[in-house]
């Protein structure tokens, strides 16, 4: 039974595998509990990533704006 990498399983989840590879992975999932667990953990991690807020902290924005003001070649009013 082949050992599928995490990358191959990610491709499988996003339906980016070839029809042959998809079929092979699905067949392996029927009998390989370790592969099922690995796929389940991967899917759970991916779902958690979808809920992460990806906006910068206010402190980061302020630091960037302050740096831009200090290094600007245009005179500030």
């Amino acid at each position: 039974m082949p050992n599928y990498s995490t990358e191959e399983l990610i491709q499988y989840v996003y339906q980016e595998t070839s029809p042959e590879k998809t079929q092979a992975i699905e067949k392996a999932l029927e009998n390989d509990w370790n592969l099922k667990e690995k796929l389940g953990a991967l899917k759970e991690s991916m779902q958690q990533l979808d809920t992460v807020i990806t906006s910068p902290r206010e402190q980061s924005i302020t630091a960037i704006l302050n740096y831009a003001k200090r290094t600007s070649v245009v005179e500030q009013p």
Side-chain angles (χ1 to χ4, degrees):
M1 187 167 294
N3 186 15
Y4 294 102
S5 69
T6 302
E7 182 178 335
E8 289 173 310
L9 292 177
I10 290 171
Q11 290 172 339
Y12 170 76
V13 170
Y14 284 111
Q15 300 174 353
E16 295 176 351
T17 50
S18 67
E20 296 81 17
K21 173 93 50 154
T22 299
Q23 186 177 14
I25 291 173
E26 289 174 350
K27 184 171 179 156
L29 286 168
E30 291 175 7
N31 301 311
D32 189 342
W33 284 99
N34 288 329
L35 185 61
K36 282 183 185 180
E37 287 180 6
K38 187 175 180 180
L39 183 63
L42 182 62
K43 284 181 177 181
E44 184 177 326
S45 296
M46 292 167 74
Q47 288 173 343
Q48 289 175 354
L49 284 174
D50 288 340
T51 63
V52 173
I53 298 173
T54 57
S55 60
R57 296 182 320 179
E58 186 67 33
Q59 181 182 4
S60 299
I61 295 170
T62 302
I64 291 168
L65 291 174
N66 287 337
Y67 175 80
K69 285 178 186 176
R70 286 193 317 268
T71 59
S72 175
V73 292
V74 177
E75 286 190 30
Q76 300 292 324

